Amino acid sequence: MIPTAATPVPPSPSGRKAFRAGLITACAGLLVGLDTGLISQALGFIGMDFRASTRDQEWIVSVLMLGASVGSLGAGTFSARFGRRTVLTAAMVLMFAGACLCANAMGIPQILTGRLLIGVAIGICTFTAPLYISETMSGHLRGSMVSTFSMLQSAGILAGYLAGGILSSGGHWRWMVSMPMLPAALLFIGCFLLPPSPSWLIARGQDAKARTVLRALRDTPEEADAEFASIKAETGKGRTSGLKLLRQQPNFRRSVMLGICLQVMQQLTGINIVMYYTPKILQNAHFGTSGAAWATVLIGVINTVVGIAAIFLVNRWGRRPLLCASAAIMAVSLAVAAVITGLHLSSIAATLCLLAALLTFVGGFGLGAGPLVWTLCSEIQPLEGRDFGVGCSTLANWWADWIVSNTFLSIVSVIGFGQTFAGFALMNVVFIVFTLMFVPETRDVPLETIETNLLSGKKLRNIGR
């Protein structure tokens, strides 16, 4: 069809504005990943400077997850009351303050306090950013932009690994832990450029402003008005607190439980034992300290490259196929790592195979389980209980992350790397079965359609049809 003078040719200014808002919000993922990469490289130097025991080091890593669980728990309430962008702005302040405390720490208690604050900020980001993106992006952009959040997480991890690799020669861990301060300050400024969430505005009774925002973010006034009417129809059913809705609505309980299970399964893949403890895993396999640091950088490169690829694949292949492929790759990779470490193979070939297995594992995670779990958790919750539902699943993610990261070194000291890796490989097989039984395909499906199917009682795996 040939455009007329009354029909503007895409890409429209509105589309560019929506993309800009999604990209700024997705940059929160950069901060989430940056801390992971930095603490992985800095942990050994902090341990040496403060003579930290194994349990101290586990707590330095895992206290962040406790803070993140608090942040994700409070983010639902505060974002519902004050708005997504306001809460995201506050998270940047906490991130800056926590990094400053760590950089000037005189002992482990101050580091733990700083990382607790960083954890609260990260918990807020992982709750608020995917939720804001899902509410402001149109259906064809939603999956890609939430995947961009995950990809930038991977890029942040890579940046942390690179910085750690460069600074590790001089043991400059204070420089490492201070690095989040600059991006936190920049994103603090960027938050003032974000429009408010249309769904949040309608839920607060600000219909005129919501319509204005939607028209600024959608390609045509007709598209904006149709979406406004759909959101308005859902909110017009009456507002109920998430906890009350959980008690009253069995179908909402199903979506909350699915979100929780997805996030727990994501952590049981074993991703964060690799991301946090790769230098220790490789040193156990006879890598030198410097070699382990730069091999860790290579893992960050793979994580980032695959994360970029996932942005394009998520809307082409769909959620379910990518999740199954992702879990299968991770299961095989960890099985290989289990054999090498369990048999204590120490030849150069075995060591290189272990590194290849870890690289393949990280690539498998970035392909599907990394971005898609966050995408699905923001898609499957009904509007009325979305803050509560996403908050529950995000909280579950951080609790599971804390349990895994707080016990990994202790478990390895008892049963060894081989059996530990074998256990996580089995969990990835369970993830495949779980996906086939319960996870819906939501590619290009409007949130309102998913909600209607869920509340009508359709099986969970069919609510995207």
Side-chain angles (χ1 to χ4, degrees):
M1 176 178 170
I2 298 175
T4 65
T7 308
V9 179
S12 68
S14 297
R16 290 195 294 270
K17 185 172 183 179
F19 179 80
R20 183 184 67 187
L23 187 59
I24 291 173
T25 309
C27 285
L30 187 69
L31 277 168
V32 175
L34 185 62
D35 178 83
T36 301
L38 290 169
I39 198 61
S40 173
Q41 299 282 40
L43 184 62
F45 298 110
I46 294 172
M48 287 187 291
D49 274 11
F50 296 121
R51 298 179 182 177
S53 65
T54 296
R55 286 300 294 154
D56 288 335
Q57 292 181 54
E58 284 179 331
W59 273 106
I60 289 171
V61 171
S62 64
V63 72
L64 181 137
M65 292 79 185
L66 292 181
S69 67
V70 172
S72 62
L73 188 63
T77 300
F78 287 108
S79 70
R81 182 170 182 179
F82 300 109
R84 295 20 171 158
R85 61 177 183 174
T86 300
V87 172
L88 196 60
T89 304
M92 296 305 106
V93 176
L94 292 173
M95 179 73 71
F96 188 94
C100 188
L101 274 175
C102 289
N104 294 283
M106 301 304 294
I108 291 177
Q110 191 173 339
I111 289 179
L112 294 177
T113 303
R115 286 189 55 73
L116 187 67
L117 289 178
I118 293 172
V120 173
I122 286 177
I124 292 171
C125 289
T126 53
F127 171 90
T128 308
L131 180 61
Y132 176 85
I133 291 171
S134 70
E135 291 181 341
T136 53
M137 298 295 104
S138 56
H140 67 282
L141 280 176
R142 192 174 63 236
S144 294
M145 291 310 301
V146 176
S147 294
T148 300
F149 170 80
S150 182
M151 182 276 292
L152 288 174
Q153 238 178 297
S154 301
I157 293 172
L158 174 58
Y161 286 163
L162 281 170
I166 294 169
L167 296 171
S168 61
S169 59
H172 301 300
W173 65 266
R174 293 184 187 273
W175 284 100
M176 297 182 201
V177 297
S178 68
M179 285 187 65
M181 294 169 67
L182 178 59
L186 293 175
L187 191 52
F188 174 86
I189 297 170
C191 286
F192 291 96
L193 302 176
L194 299 177
S197 161
S199 297
W200 179 80
L201 288 171
I202 293 172
R204 304 293 294 180
Q206 301 180 41
D207 292 1
K209 191 172 183 180
R211 190 187 296 273
T212 300
V213 170
L214 277 170
R215 289 194 172 193
L217 295 175
R218 299 295 176 259
D219 290 333
T220 65
E222 292 77 17
E223 182 185 356
D225 291 345
E227 187 170 339
F228 174 86
S230 180
I231 298 172
K232 186 67 177 174
E234 293 300 325
T235 56
K237 296 176 182 178
R239 295 182 63 189
T240 305
S241 71
L243 195 57
K244 186 176 180 181
L245 187 66
L246 190 71
R247 293 195 302 266
Q248 294 178 345
Q249 175 54 265
N251 290 316
F252 180 51
R253 290 198 291 271
R254 292 191 304 145
S255 66
V256 171
M257 185 55 64
L258 176 58
I260 290 172
C261 289
L262 278 168
Q263 293 286 13
V264 171
M265 289 306 304
Q266 187 198 62
Q267 290 305 311
L268 292 180
T269 62
I271 182 60
N272 279 323
I273 66 171
V274 175
M275 289 304 182
Y276 291 130
Y277 296 115
T278 289
K280 289 187 175 293
I281 295 171
L282 294 178
Q283 286 171 26
N284 180 76
H286 310 293
F287 272 75
T289 301
S290 179
W294 287 107
T296 301
V297 171
L298 186 57
I299 284 178
V301 171
I302 296 296
N303 193 32
T304 304
V305 170
V306 175
I308 294 171
I311 295 174
F312 301 98
L313 294 176
V314 65
N315 283 331
R316 178 173 299 180
W317 289 5
R319 279 51 161 165
R320 282 165 57 92
L322 276 176
L323 274 180
C324 289
S326 172
I329 292 170
M330 290 188 288
V332 173
S333 302
L334 288 181
V336 171
V339 171
I340 293 171
T341 55
L343 296 178
H344 303 288
L345 303 178
S346 57
S347 66
I348 294 177
T351 301
L352 292 176
C353 282
L354 175 60
L355 177 59
L358 294 179
L359 291 172
T360 305
F361 169 82
V362 170
F365 180 83
L367 180 69
L372 290 179
V373 166
W374 293 105
T375 302
L376 284 161
C377 286
S378 65
E379 290 176 332
I380 61 176
Q381 304 301 341
L383 176 61
E384 192 174 10
R386 189 169 296 151
D387 292 296
F388 181 85
V390 175
C392 287
S393 60
T394 306
L395 180 64
N397 177 282
W398 290 114
W399 278 352
D401 191 355
W402 176 77
I403 291 170
V404 171
S405 61
N406 192 251
T407 58
F408 174 69
L409 293 179
S410 298
I411 292 173
V412 167
S413 68
V414 175
I415 66 175
F417 279 101
Q419 293 188 35
T420 304
F421 283 139
F424 283 111
L426 179 60
M427 287 298 100
N428 280 285
V429 175
V430 173
F431 197 4
I432 296 173
V433 176
F434 176 83
T435 299
L436 294 174
M437 291 181 64
F438 299 109
V439 175
E441 179 54 67
T442 58
R443 181 183 62 175
D444 294 334
V445 182
L447 296 181
E448 295 75 26
T449 300
I450 297 171
E451 177 173 347
T452 299
N453 291 339
L454 170 72
L455 298 182
S456 69
K458 279 192 174 184
K459 291 182 178 180
L460 286 171
R461 67 174 180 266
N462 294 331
I463 62 174
R465 297 178 181 175

